[in-house]
Amino acid sequence: MNKQDYINLLFEKFQSCQIDRKQLEQCFEVVLKEIGDPVLAFGNLQALLWKIFRGESATCLSDAAQKQIRTILDIK
């Protein structure tokens, strides 16, 4: 699978959370830059998004990456 395939899967899973594709692409890039592997980036971002939308703290990524993703998604 390529990067766009992973983004499409994330979009499918989280579109009910009112995230647009551009936001997901930006978030994926943040995680991919930190982790370096698209498979691991997908898994970590998916876990983080589940935790964000459940209101839980997320520990699967660095604080800086989490902050960037929350900013992209406009979530405090």
Side-chain angles (χ1 to χ4, degrees):
M1 287 179 43
N2 65 32
K3 187 168 66 172
Q4 199 59 45
D5 293 333
Y6 290 114
I7 292 167
N8 290 338
L9 281 173
L10 289 167
F11 185 71
E12 242 178 69
K13 291 181 182 228
F14 293 100
Q15 70 187 111
S16 66
C17 298
Q18 299 181 345
I19 300 175
D20 67 34
R21 191 176 300 276
K22 183 167 178 79
Q23 289 174 309
L24 281 175
E25 287 174 2
Q26 291 173 329
C27 292
F28 191 83
E29 287 299 324
V30 168
V31 178
L32 186 59
K33 183 177 179 180
E34 181 167 313
I35 294 175
D37 179 87
V39 175
L40 294 176
F42 170 79
N44 280 281
L45 180 56
Q46 179 177 256
L48 176 63
L49 291 173
W50 280 118
K51 289 180 179 189
I52 286 173
F53 289 108
R54 288 183 182 160
E56 301 170 12
S57 64
T59 59
C60 56
L61 296 169
S62 71
D63 289 342
Q66 290 182 51
K67 185 175 180 180
Q68 281 184 287
I69 289 168
R70 287 179 183 277
T71 299
I72 292 166
L73 299 176
D74 194 28
I75 297 171
K76 297 182 181 177

Coordinates of all heavy atoms in Angstrom, one line a residue:
M1 N 0.8 -1.2 0.0 CA 0.0 0.0 0.0 C 0.9 1.2 0.0 O 1.9 1.2 0.6 CB -0.9 0.0 1.2 CG -2.0 -1.0 1.2 SD -3.1 -1.1 2.6 CE -3.5 0.5 3.0
N2 N 0.4 2.3 -0.6 CA 1.1 3.5 -0.6 C 0.5 4.5 0.4 O -0.5 4.2 1.0 CB 1.2 4.1 -2.0 CG -0.2 4.5 -2.6 OD1 -1.1 4.9 -1.8 ND2 -0.3 4.4 -3.9
K3 N 1.1 5.6 0.5 CA 0.7 6.6 1.5 C -0.8 7.0 1.3 O -1.5 7.1 2.3 CB 1.6 7.9 1.4 CG 1.4 8.9 2.4 CD 2.5 9.9 2.4 CE 2.6 10.7 1.2 NZ 3.5 11.9 1.2
Q4 N -1.2 7.2 0.1 CA -2.5 7.6 -0.2 C -3.5 6.6 0.2 O -4.6 6.9 0.7 CB -2.7 8.0 -1.7 CG -3.9 8.8 -2.0 CD -3.9 10.1 -1.2 OE1 -2.9 10.8 -1.1 NE2 -5.0 10.5 -0.6
D5 N -3.2 5.3 0.1 CA -4.1 4.2 0.5 C -4.3 4.2 2.0 O -5.4 4.0 2.5 CB -3.5 2.8 0.1 CG -3.4 2.6 -1.3 OD1 -4.3 3.1 -2.1 OD2 -2.5 1.8 -1.8
Y6 N -3.2 4.5 2.8 CA -3.4 4.6 4.2 C -4.3 5.8 4.6 O -5.1 5.7 5.5 CB -2.0 4.8 4.9 CG -1.2 3.5 4.8 CD1 0.0 3.4 4.1 CD2 -1.6 2.4 5.5 CE1 0.7 2.3 4.1 CE2 -0.9 1.2 5.5 CZ 0.3 1.2 4.7 OH 1.0 0.0 4.7
I7 N -4.1 6.9 3.9 CA -4.9 8.1 4.2 C -6.4 7.8 3.8 O -7.3 8.2 4.6 CB -4.4 9.3 3.4 CG1 -3.0 9.7 3.9 CG2 -5.4 10.5 3.4 CD1 -2.2 10.7 3.1
N8 N -6.6 7.1 2.7 CA -8.0 6.7 2.4 C -8.6 5.9 3.5 O -9.8 6.0 3.8 CB -8.0 6.0 1.0 CG -7.7 6.9 -0.1 OD1 -7.9 8.1 0.0 ND2 -7.3 6.3 -1.2
L9 N -7.9 4.9 4.0 CA -8.4 4.1 5.1 C -8.7 4.9 6.3 O -9.8 4.7 6.9 CB -7.4 3.0 5.5 CG -7.3 1.8 4.6 CD1 -6.1 0.9 5.0 CD2 -8.6 1.0 4.6
L10 N -7.8 5.8 6.7 CA -8.1 6.7 7.8 C -9.3 7.5 7.6 O -10.2 7.7 8.5 CB -6.9 7.6 8.1 CG -5.7 6.8 8.7 CD1 -4.5 7.8 8.6 CD2 -6.0 6.4 10.1
F11 N -9.5 8.1 6.4 CA -10.6 8.9 6.1 C -11.9 8.1 6.2 O -12.9 8.6 6.7 CB -10.5 9.5 4.6 CG -11.6 10.4 4.3 CD1 -11.7 11.7 4.9 CD2 -12.6 10.1 3.4 CE1 -12.7 12.6 4.6 CE2 -13.6 10.9 3.1 CZ -13.6 12.2 3.7
E12 N -11.9 6.9 5.7 CA -13.1 6.0 5.8 C -13.5 5.8 7.3 O -14.6 5.9 7.7 CB -12.8 4.6 5.2 CG -13.6 4.3 4.1 CD -13.2 2.9 3.5 OE1 -13.4 1.9 4.2 OE2 -12.7 2.9 2.4
K13 N -12.5 5.5 8.1 CA -12.7 5.3 9.5 C -13.1 6.5 10.3 O -13.9 6.3 11.3 CB -11.5 4.6 10.2 CG -11.2 3.3 9.7 CD -10.0 2.7 10.4 CE -9.7 1.3 9.8 NZ -9.5 0.3 10.8
F14 N -12.7 7.7 10.0 CA -12.9 8.8 10.8 C -13.7 9.9 10.2 O -13.8 11.0 10.7 CB -11.5 9.4 11.2 CG -10.8 8.5 12.2 CD1 -9.8 7.7 11.7 CD2 -11.1 8.4 13.5 CE1 -9.1 6.8 12.6 CE2 -10.5 7.5 14.4 CZ -9.5 6.7 13.9
Q15 N -14.3 9.7 9.0 CA -15.1 10.8 8.4 C -16.3 11.2 9.2 O -16.7 12.3 9.2 CB -15.5 10.4 7.0 CG -16.5 9.4 6.8 CD -16.6 9.0 5.3 OE1 -16.3 7.9 4.9 NE2 -17.2 9.9 4.5
S16 N -16.8 10.3 10.0 CA -18.0 10.6 10.9 C -17.5 11.6 12.0 O -18.3 12.2 12.7 CB -18.6 9.4 11.5 OG -17.7 8.8 12.4
C17 N -16.2 11.8 12.2 CA -15.7 12.7 13.2 C -15.4 14.1 12.6 O -14.8 14.9 13.2 CB -14.4 12.2 13.8 SG -14.5 10.6 14.6
Q18 N -15.9 14.3 11.4 CA -15.8 15.5 10.7 C -14.3 16.0 10.5 O -14.0 17.1 10.7 CB -16.6 16.6 11.4 CG -18.1 16.3 11.4 CD -18.9 17.4 12.1 OE1 -18.4 18.3 12.7 NE2 -20.2 17.3 11.9
I19 N -13.5 15.0 10.0 CA -12.1 15.3 9.7 C -12.1 15.3 8.1 O -12.6 14.4 7.5 CB -11.2 14.2 10.2 CG1 -11.2 14.1 11.7 CG2 -9.8 14.5 9.7 CD1 -10.4 13.0 12.2
D20 N -11.5 16.3 7.6 CA -11.4 16.3 6.1 C -10.1 15.6 5.7 O -9.2 15.4 6.4 CB -11.6 17.7 5.5 CG -10.5 18.6 5.8 OD1 -9.3 18.2 5.9 OD2 -10.8 19.8 5.8
R21 N -10.1 15.2 4.4 CA -8.9 14.5 3.9 C -7.6 15.3 4.0 O -6.6 14.7 4.3 CB -9.2 14.1 2.4 CG -8.2 13.1 1.8 CD -8.6 12.7 0.4 NE -9.9 12.1 0.4 CZ -10.2 10.8 0.6 NH1 -9.2 10.0 0.9 NH2 -11.4 10.3 0.5
K22 N -7.7 16.6 3.8 CA -6.5 17.4 3.9 C -5.9 17.4 5.3 O -4.7 17.3 5.5 CB -6.8 18.8 3.4 CG -5.5 19.7 3.4 CD -5.8 21.0 2.7 CE -4.6 21.9 2.7 NZ -3.6 21.6 1.7
Q23 N -6.8 17.4 6.3 CA -6.3 17.3 7.7 C -5.6 16.0 7.9 O -4.6 15.9 8.6 CB -7.4 17.5 8.7 CG -8.0 18.9 8.7 CD -9.2 19.0 9.6 OE1 -10.1 18.3 9.4 NE2 -9.2 19.9 10.5
L24 N -6.2 14.9 7.4 CA -5.7 13.6 7.6 C -4.3 13.5 6.9 O -3.4 12.9 7.5 CB -6.6 12.5 7.1 CG -7.8 12.2 8.0 CD1 -8.7 11.2 7.4 CD2 -7.2 11.6 9.3
E25 N -4.2 14.0 5.7 CA -2.9 14.0 5.0 C -1.9 14.7 5.8 O -0.7 14.2 5.9 CB -3.1 14.7 3.6 CG -3.9 13.8 2.7 CD -4.1 14.5 1.3 OE1 -3.7 15.7 1.2 OE2 -4.8 13.9 0.5
Q26 N -2.2 15.9 6.4 CA -1.2 16.7 7.2 C -0.8 15.9 8.4 O 0.4 15.8 8.8 CB -1.8 18.0 7.6 CG -2.0 19.0 6.4 CD -2.7 20.2 6.8 OE1 -3.6 20.2 7.7 NE2 -2.4 21.3 6.2
C27 N -1.8 15.3 9.1 CA -1.5 14.5 10.3 C -0.6 13.3 9.9 O 0.3 13.0 10.7 CB -2.8 14.0 10.9 SG -3.8 15.3 11.6
F28 N -0.9 12.6 8.8 CA -0.2 11.5 8.4 C 1.3 11.9 8.2 O 2.2 11.2 8.5 CB -0.8 10.8 7.2 CG -0.2 9.5 6.9 CD1 -0.6 8.3 7.5 CD2 0.8 9.3 5.9 CE1 -0.1 7.1 7.2 CE2 1.4 8.1 5.6 CZ 0.9 7.0 6.3
E29 N 1.5 13.0 7.5 CA 2.8 13.5 7.3 C 3.6 13.8 8.5 O 4.8 13.5 8.6 CB 2.8 14.8 6.4 CG 2.4 14.5 5.0 CD 3.4 13.6 4.2 OE1 4.6 13.7 4.5 OE2 2.9 12.9 3.4
V30 N 2.9 14.3 9.6 CA 3.6 14.6 10.8 C 4.1 13.3 11.5 O 5.2 13.2 11.9 CB 2.6 15.3 11.8 CG1 3.2 15.3 13.2 CG2 2.3 16.7 11.3
V31 N 3.2 12.3 11.5 CA 3.5 11.0 12.1 C 4.6 10.3 11.2 O 5.5 9.7 11.8 CB 2.3 10.1 12.2 CG1 2.6 8.8 12.8 CG2 1.2 10.8 13.1
L32 N 4.4 10.3 9.9 CA 5.4 9.6 9.0 C 6.8 10.3 9.2 O 7.8 9.5 9.3 CB 5.0 9.7 7.6 CG 5.8 9.0 6.6 CD1 5.8 7.5 6.9 CD2 5.2 9.2 5.2
K33 N 6.8 11.6 9.4 CA 8.1 12.2 9.6 C 8.8 11.8 10.9 O 10.0 11.6 11.0 CB 7.9 13.8 9.6 CG 9.2 14.5 9.7 CD 8.9 16.0 9.7 CE 10.2 16.8 9.9 NZ 9.9 18.2 9.8
E34 N 7.9 11.6 11.9 CA 8.5 11.1 13.2 C 8.9 9.7 13.2 O 9.9 9.3 13.8 CB 7.5 11.4 14.3 CG 8.0 11.0 15.7 CD 7.1 11.5 16.8 OE1 6.8 12.7 16.8 OE2 6.9 10.7 17.7
I35 N 8.1 8.8 12.6 CA 8.3 7.4 12.7 C 9.1 6.8 11.5 O 9.9 5.9 11.6 CB 6.9 6.7 12.8 CG1 6.3 7.0 14.1 CG2 7.1 5.2 12.7 CD1 4.9 6.5 14.3
G36 N 8.8 7.3 10.3 CA 9.6 6.9 9.1 C 9.1 5.7 8.3 O 9.5 5.5 7.2
D37 N 8.1 5.0 8.9 CA 7.5 3.9 8.2 C 6.0 4.1 8.0 O 5.3 4.3 9.0 CB 7.8 2.6 9.1 CG 7.2 1.4 8.4 OD1 7.9 0.7 7.6 OD2 6.1 1.0 8.8
P38 N 5.5 4.0 6.8 CA 4.1 4.2 6.6 C 3.1 3.3 7.3 O 2.1 3.7 7.8 CB 3.9 4.1 5.1 CG 5.2 3.7 4.5 CD 6.2 3.7 5.6
V39 N 3.5 2.0 7.5 CA 2.7 1.1 8.2 C 2.6 1.4 9.7 O 1.5 1.5 10.2 CB 3.2 -0.4 8.0 CG1 2.4 -1.3 8.9 CG2 3.2 -0.8 6.6
L40 N 3.7 1.7 10.3 CA 3.7 2.1 11.7 C 3.1 3.5 11.9 O 2.4 3.7 12.8 CB 5.1 2.2 12.2 CG 5.8 0.8 12.3 CD1 7.3 1.0 12.8 CD2 5.1 -0.1 13.2
A41 N 3.3 4.4 10.9 CA 2.6 5.7 11.0 C 1.1 5.6 10.9 O 0.4 6.2 11.7 CB 3.1 6.6 9.8
F42 N 0.6 4.7 10.1 CA -0.8 4.5 10.0 C -1.4 4.0 11.3 O -2.4 4.5 11.9 CB -1.2 3.5 8.9 CG -2.6 3.0 8.9 CD1 -3.6 3.8 8.4 CD2 -2.9 1.8 9.4 CE1 -4.9 3.3 8.4 CE2 -4.2 1.3 9.4 CZ -5.2 2.1 8.9
G43 N -0.7 3.0 11.9 CA -1.2 2.4 13.1 C -1.2 3.3 14.3 O -2.1 3.4 15.1
N44 N -0.1 4.1 14.4 CA 0.1 5.1 15.5 C -0.9 6.2 15.3 O -1.5 6.7 16.3 CB 1.5 5.6 15.6 CG 2.4 4.7 16.3 OD1 2.4 4.6 17.5 ND2 3.2 3.9 15.5
L45 N -1.1 6.7 14.1 CA -2.1 7.8 13.9 C -3.5 7.3 14.2 O -4.3 8.0 14.8 CB -2.0 8.4 12.5 CG -2.9 9.5 12.2 CD1 -2.8 10.7 13.2 CD2 -2.7 10.0 10.7
Q46 N -3.8 6.1 13.7 CA -5.1 5.6 14.0 C -5.4 5.5 15.5 O -6.4 5.9 16.0 CB -5.3 4.2 13.3 CG -6.6 3.6 13.5 CD -6.7 2.3 12.8 OE1 -7.4 2.2 11.8 NE2 -6.1 1.2 13.3
A47 N -4.4 5.0 16.2 CA -4.6 4.9 17.7 C -4.7 6.2 18.3 O -5.5 6.4 19.2 CB -3.4 4.1 18.2
L48 N -3.9 7.2 17.8 CA -4.0 8.5 18.4 C -5.4 9.2 18.1 O -6.0 9.8 19.0 CB -2.9 9.4 17.8 CG -2.9 10.9 18.3 CD1 -2.7 11.0 19.8 CD2 -1.8 11.6 17.5
L49 N -5.9 9.0 16.9 CA -7.2 9.6 16.6 C -8.3 9.0 17.4 O -9.2 9.7 17.9 CB -7.4 9.5 15.1 CG -6.6 10.3 14.2 CD1 -6.8 9.9 12.7 CD2 -6.7 11.8 14.4
W50 N -8.2 7.7 17.6 CA -9.2 7.1 18.5 C -9.2 7.7 19.9 O -10.2 8.0 20.5 CB -9.1 5.6 18.6 CG -9.6 4.8 17.4 CD1 -8.9 4.0 16.5 CD2 -11.0 4.7 16.9 NE1 -9.7 3.5 15.5 CE2 -11.0 3.9 15.8 CE3 -12.1 5.3 17.4 CZ2 -12.2 3.7 15.1 CZ3 -13.3 5.0 16.7 CH2 -13.3 4.2 15.6
K51 N -8.0 7.8 20.4 CA -7.8 8.4 21.7 C -8.3 9.8 21.8 O -8.9 10.3 22.8 CB -6.4 8.2 22.2 CG -6.1 6.8 22.5 CD -4.6 6.7 23.0 CE -4.3 5.2 23.3 NZ -3.1 5.0 23.9
I52 N -8.0 10.6 20.8 CA -8.3 12.0 20.8 C -9.9 12.2 20.8 O -10.4 12.9 21.5 CB -7.8 12.8 19.5 CG1 -6.3 13.0 19.7 CG2 -8.5 14.1 19.3 CD1 -5.5 13.5 18.5
F53 N -10.5 11.4 19.9 CA -12.0 11.5 19.8 C -12.7 10.9 20.9 O -13.9 11.0 21.1 CB -12.5 11.1 18.4 CG -12.1 12.1 17.4 CD1 -11.1 11.7 16.5 CD2 -12.6 13.3 17.3 CE1 -10.7 12.6 15.5 CE2 -12.2 14.2 16.3 CZ -11.2 13.9 15.4
R54 N -12.0 10.1 21.8 CA -12.6 9.6 23.0 C -12.3 10.4 24.2 O -12.8 10.1 25.3 CB -12.1 8.1 23.2 CG -12.7 7.1 22.3 CD -12.2 5.8 22.7 NE -12.6 4.8 21.7 CZ -12.1 3.6 21.6 NH1 -11.0 3.3 22.3 NH2 -12.6 2.7 20.7
G55 N -11.5 11.5 23.9 CA -11.2 12.4 25.0 C -10.1 11.9 26.0 O -9.9 12.4 27.0
E56 N -9.4 10.9 25.5 CA -8.3 10.3 26.4 C -7.0 10.9 26.0 O -6.8 11.4 24.9 CB -8.2 8.8 26.2 CG -9.5 8.1 26.5 CD -9.5 6.6 26.1 OE1 -8.4 6.1 25.7 OE2 -10.5 6.0 26.1
S57 N -6.0 10.9 26.9 CA -4.7 11.3 26.5 C -4.0 10.3 25.6 O -4.3 9.1 25.8 CB -3.8 11.6 27.8 OG -3.6 10.4 28.5
A58 N -3.2 10.7 24.8 CA -2.5 9.8 23.8 C -1.1 9.7 24.1 O -0.4 10.8 24.3 CB -2.8 10.2 22.4
T59 N -0.5 8.5 24.2 CA 0.9 8.4 24.5 C 1.7 7.7 23.4 O 2.9 7.4 23.6 CB 1.1 7.6 25.8 OG1 0.5 6.4 25.7 CG2 0.4 8.4 27.0
C60 N 1.1 7.4 22.3 CA 1.8 6.6 21.3 C 2.8 7.5 20.4 O 3.6 6.9 19.7 CB 0.8 5.9 20.4 SG -0.4 7.0 19.6
L61 N 2.7 8.8 20.5 CA 3.6 9.7 19.8 C 4.2 10.7 20.7 O 3.6 10.9 21.8 CB 2.8 10.4 18.7 CG 2.3 9.5 17.6 CD1 1.3 10.2 16.7 CD2 3.4 8.9 16.7
S62 N 5.2 11.4 20.3 CA 5.8 12.5 21.1 C 4.8 13.6 21.3 O 3.8 13.8 20.6 CB 7.0 13.0 20.4 OG 6.6 13.8 19.3
D63 N 5.0 14.3 22.4 CA 4.2 15.5 22.7 C 4.1 16.5 21.6 O 3.0 17.0 21.3 CB 4.6 16.2 24.0 CG 4.4 15.3 25.2 OD1 3.6 14.4 25.2 OD2 5.0 15.6 26.3
A64 N 5.2 16.7 20.9 CA 5.3 17.6 19.8 C 4.4 17.2 18.6 O 3.7 18.0 18.1 CB 6.7 17.8 19.3
A65 N 4.5 15.9 18.3 CA 3.6 15.4 17.2 C 2.2 15.4 17.6 O 1.3 15.8 16.7 CB 4.1 13.9 16.9
Q66 N 1.8 15.1 18.8 CA 0.5 15.2 19.3 C -0.1 16.6 19.2 O -1.2 16.8 18.7 CB 0.3 14.6 20.7 CG 0.5 13.1 20.8 CD 0.3 12.6 22.2 OE1 -0.7 12.9 22.8 NE2 1.3 11.9 22.7
K67 N 0.8 17.5 19.6 CA 0.4 18.9 19.6 C 0.1 19.4 18.1 O -0.9 20.1 17.8 CB 1.4 19.8 20.2 CG 1.0 21.2 20.3 CD 2.1 22.0 21.1 CE 1.6 23.5 21.2 NZ 2.6 24.3 21.9
Q68 N 1.0 19.0 17.2 CA 0.8 19.4 15.8 C -0.5 18.8 15.3 O -1.2 19.5 14.6 CB 2.0 18.9 14.9 CG 3.2 19.7 15.0 CD 4.3 19.1 14.1 OE1 4.8 18.1 14.3 NE2 4.5 19.8 13.0
I69 N -0.8 17.6 15.6 CA -2.0 16.9 15.1 C -3.2 17.6 15.7 O -4.2 17.9 15.0 CB -2.0 15.4 15.3 CG1 -0.9 14.8 14.4 CG2 -3.3 14.8 15.1 CD1 -0.5 13.4 14.8
R70 N -3.2 17.9 17.0 CA -4.3 18.6 17.6 C -4.5 19.9 17.0 O -5.7 20.4 16.8 CB -4.1 18.7 19.1 CG -4.3 17.3 19.8 CD -4.1 17.5 21.3 NE -4.2 16.2 22.0 CZ -5.3 15.7 22.4 NH1 -6.4 16.3 22.2 NH2 -5.3 14.5 23.0
T71 N -3.5 20.6 16.6 CA -3.6 21.9 15.9 C -4.2 21.8 14.6 O -5.1 22.6 14.2 CB -2.2 22.6 15.9 OG1 -1.7 22.8 17.2 CG2 -2.3 23.9 15.1
I72 N -3.7 20.8 13.8 CA -4.3 20.6 12.5 C -5.8 20.3 12.6 O -6.6 20.8 11.8 CB -3.5 19.4 11.8 CG1 -2.1 19.8 11.5 CG2 -4.3 18.9 10.5 CD1 -1.2 18.6 11.1
L73 N -6.2 19.5 13.6 CA -7.6 19.1 13.7 C -8.4 20.1 14.5 O -9.6 20.0 14.6 CB -7.7 17.7 14.4 CG -7.0 16.6 13.7 CD1 -7.1 15.3 14.6 CD2 -7.6 16.3 12.3
D74 N -7.7 21.2 15.0 CA -8.3 22.2 15.8 C -9.0 21.7 17.0 O -10.2 22.0 17.3 CB -9.3 23.0 14.9 CG -9.7 24.3 15.6 OD1 -8.9 24.9 16.4 OD2 -10.9 24.8 15.3
I75 N -8.3 20.8 17.7 CA -8.8 20.2 19.0 C -7.8 20.6 20.1 O -6.6 20.5 19.9 CB -8.8 18.6 18.8 CG1 -9.8 18.2 17.8 CG2 -9.1 18.0 20.2 CD1 -9.7 16.7 17.4
K76 N -8.4 21.0 21.2 CA -7.6 21.5 22.3 C -7.4 20.4 23.3 O -8.0 19.5 23.4 CB -8.1 22.7 22.9 CG -8.1 23.8 21.9 CD -8.5 25.1 22.4 CE -8.5 26.1 21.3 NZ -8.9 27.3 21.5

